[in-house]
Amino acid sequence: LDGFALIQSARIRPIRVIRVLFQLAERLRHSFAKGALFMFVSVVIPFHNCEAYLAEAIQSVLDQGHAPLELIVVDDGSTDGSAAVARRVGAAEHPAGVAVHYLWQEQQGAGAARNRGAAAARGEYVAFLDADDLWTPEKIAVQLAALAADPTLDAVFGNLEQFLQPGLDPALAARYEYHQSMNGYSAGTMLIRLAAWQRLGGFTPGLRFGEFVDWYVRAKERGLHDLLLPQVFLRRRIHGRNYSLTAADQHIAYVGVAKAALDRRRAAAG
């Protein structure tokens, strides 16, 4: 854990050592109680111009209370102040066993940014969260327990619920049953073993919409063994600028994903 490195430093004052030891003890106690002791989790948050929501998304990860954990925030070529938010969080003091890393790339899309973060992950498990969404507090603990109970599982999903950002246009808000829980087959509800992620492959770069559906279909074709849990793990923010809500070509994109899957099946059949 990062805390042990701090303790070993001769420059750390005794009071700092005591505080680090206390933080380690508390996090180990929490992890042990949840059956997730020493399960190293990497969390990837891709973002592009998400200054208004990024800090809240990051906090929902830190509020999981799990250690060891690394948070990898991937800046997909932002031009607003979201990079400053990410750097500020990275420079802040975090509990023992928690590290925050900032990566930058030219804008390539959310799928490519997730791939970049996953490639840098050092944990045994990897999870993803969009910068405008939130996790519920027990997500990691519940999903780790499910994976520990069944070593044959590659990944665990859960449900999601939508919520309205205050001030959202009422006409747009009326289109969504935003309080209802729904099956959450999405990147934001998934916790996957890193070895399985590496075996199954990442998101297809360049897809502007439907990148998770494309990934999931390919992963199932390659033998993904997954479980959908009934708990709500993701709160999806509806704020009017969600690409999946405003993209005029989303249906065309889904047709492209379906065609690609059909082409693969035809090629496999010879």
Side-chain angles (χ1 to χ4, degrees):
L1 298 178
D2 292 349
F4 293 130
L6 289 172
I7 293 168
Q8 292 169 354
S9 173
R11 296 188 299 273
I12 298 299
R13 294 176 295 176
I15 191 170
R16 171 63 172 149
V17 172
I18 293 171
R19 186 162 69 234
V20 169
L21 285 172
F22 178 77
Q23 291 174 346
L24 281 171
E26 283 297 298
R27 290 199 162 253
L28 291 175
R29 180 187 62 78
H30 184 276
S31 294
F32 183 79
K34 298 299 181 181
L37 187 61
F38 295 130
M39 292 180 171
F40 187 3
V41 177
S42 299
V43 180
V44 178
I45 299 182
F47 67 90
H48 175 75
N49 291 348
C50 207
E51 179 181 5
Y53 312 121
L54 178 59
E56 195 175 357
I58 290 173
Q59 191 60 49
S60 78
V61 174
L62 299 178
D63 286 346
Q64 298 294 304
H66 179 81
L69 179 144
E70 67 172 357
L71 175 57
I72 304 168
V73 287
V74 183
D75 183 350
D76 189 39
S78 295
T79 57
D80 67 351
S82 49
V85 173
R87 290 194 181 98
R88 184 169 64 249
V89 172
E93 182 177 344
H94 300 290
V98 175
V100 179
H101 309 293
Y102 170 81
L103 302 177
W104 180 90
Q105 65 178 28
E106 293 186 358
Q107 186 178 5
Q108 301 174 48
R114 293 190 192 105
N115 290 346
R116 173 82 183 279
R122 300 175 299 149
E124 302 168 73
Y125 307 86
V126 64
F128 303 94
L129 176 63
D130 286 350
D132 51 357
D133 293 338
L134 303 171
W135 277 351
T136 55
E138 297 295 312
K139 177 188 187 292
I140 288 179
V142 173
Q143 291 185 309
L144 283 175
L147 288 168
D150 185 354
T152 69
L153 280 174
D154 293 316
V156 178
F157 296 87
N159 290 334
L160 65 85
E161 63 182 10
Q162 299 184 129
F163 72 99
L164 296 181
Q165 175 69 15
L168 182 66
D169 182 350
L172 182 61
R175 294 171 52 190
Y176 302 98
E177 298 179 11
Y178 55 89
H179 288 305
Q180 291 189 356
S181 173
M182 61 192 74
N183 288 347
Y185 283 106
S186 72
T189 69
M190 179 173 69
L191 180 66
I192 186 169
R193 300 181 196 274
L194 184 61
W197 169 265
Q198 293 168 340
R199 183 186 84 243
L200 297 167
F203 296 100
T204 301
L207 284 182
R208 297 177 61 235
F209 191 81
E211 71 274 6
F212 176 78
V213 174
D214 172 76
W215 177 87
Y216 187 75
V217 170
R218 287 187 290 106
K220 292 300 283 186
E221 292 170 352
R222 296 172 184 176
L224 172 69
H225 181 200
D226 63 298
L227 174 68
L228 177 67
L229 296 174
Q231 293 94 330
V232 172
F233 292 140
L234 180 69
R235 302 194 68 230
R236 182 181 184 227
R237 187 192 307 266
I238 307 300
H239 52 74
R241 295 196 307 114
N242 310 72
Y243 183 70
S244 60
L245 305 184
T246 59
D249 58 349
Q250 58 180 289
H251 300 298
I252 297 175
Y254 273 131
V255 170
V257 169
K259 182 180 183 303
L262 182 59
D263 289 344
R264 287 193 301 271
R265 292 175 185 174
R266 287 173 173 167

